[in-house]
Amino acid sequence: MSMARIAAWSIALAALAGVFTMYLQPEFMVGLANQVWACF
């Protein structure tokens, strides 16, 4: 496996881990729900 491919996978996994940890914060979820609701 090339170093570029390993780096790309590492960046993708770090981004996914960051998104998943944001979902554990209740105030983030409330803000996200308010933004979605504002679209309608």
Side-chain angles (χ1 to χ4, degrees):
M1 221 188 245
S2 69
M3 290 300 288
R5 191 170 184 177
I6 292 172
W9 274 107
S10 298
I11 291 170
L13 289 176
L16 284 174
V19 169
F20 289 143
T21 56
M22 288 170 56
Y23 277 105
L24 297 176
Q25 299 176 3
E27 52 273 349
F28 171 74
M29 290 303 295
V30 170
L32 183 63
N34 285 336
Q35 288 179 355
V36 171
W37 186 250
C39 292
F40 297 106

